[in-house]
Amino acid sequence: MTTPWEHPELEPDTSTEEELQEPRKYKVLLHNDDYTTMEFVVHVLKSVFSKQETEAIQIMLTVHRNGIGVCGIYTAEVAETKVALVHHMAKKEGYPLKCSMEEV
């Protein structure tokens, strides 16, 4: 009986090491509209993005004043999930709140 280490063809090929790359990052953005309340935006920022009250208010005011604001920077899968969750919450409450993601 032979063991795997006696067969060079069964040993892992370490001659070409792949370089690990950082996953791409995405900004999650909230967009201002004329219908979604400031209170709901703060609630979304606290519940979906784990922001403290003060930071949530600052981001909400940025969205209100500038038309757009950054909620956070995440990997693609996390960003997609957060965007979908924001849209789900907004739709459930009857708000047209738009959330998007953009590669950093």
Side-chain angles (χ1 to χ4, degrees):
M1 181 174 196
T2 59
T3 58
W5 53 85
E6 293 175 355
H7 295 282
E9 68 274 6
L10 296 178
E11 291 182 21
D13 180 15
T14 57
S15 61
T16 56
E17 289 187 30
E18 289 185 34
E19 199 173 306
L20 293 179
Q21 295 180 355
E22 287 288 319
R24 290 187 293 190
K25 300 286 184 157
Y26 293 83
K27 294 186 284 189
V28 176
L29 307 165
L30 280 181
H31 303 264
N32 192 37
D33 63 67
D34 293 331
Y35 302 101
T36 306
T37 65
M38 293 179 176
E39 292 81 11
F40 182 74
V41 173
V42 169
H43 170 70
V44 165
L45 289 163
K46 289 169 65 178
S47 62
V48 176
F49 299 96
S50 302
K51 302 298 182 188
Q52 296 297 316
E53 182 86 14
T54 304
E55 187 179 8
I57 291 170
Q58 289 174 345
I59 295 169
M60 176 274 296
L61 289 173
T62 299
V63 172
H64 181 69
R65 293 178 182 139
N66 301 337
I68 197 166
V70 178
C71 304
I73 298 175
Y74 308 95
T75 60
E77 295 80 10
V78 173
E80 289 168 355
T81 300
K82 290 189 180 290
V83 168
L85 187 53
V86 169
H87 287 155
H88 174 76
M89 289 175 68
K91 183 177 180 179
K92 182 178 173 187
E93 295 299 320
Y95 293 119
L97 183 62
K98 182 180 175 196
C99 186
S100 65
M101 57 190 269
E102 178 181 291
E103 191 168 359
V104 175

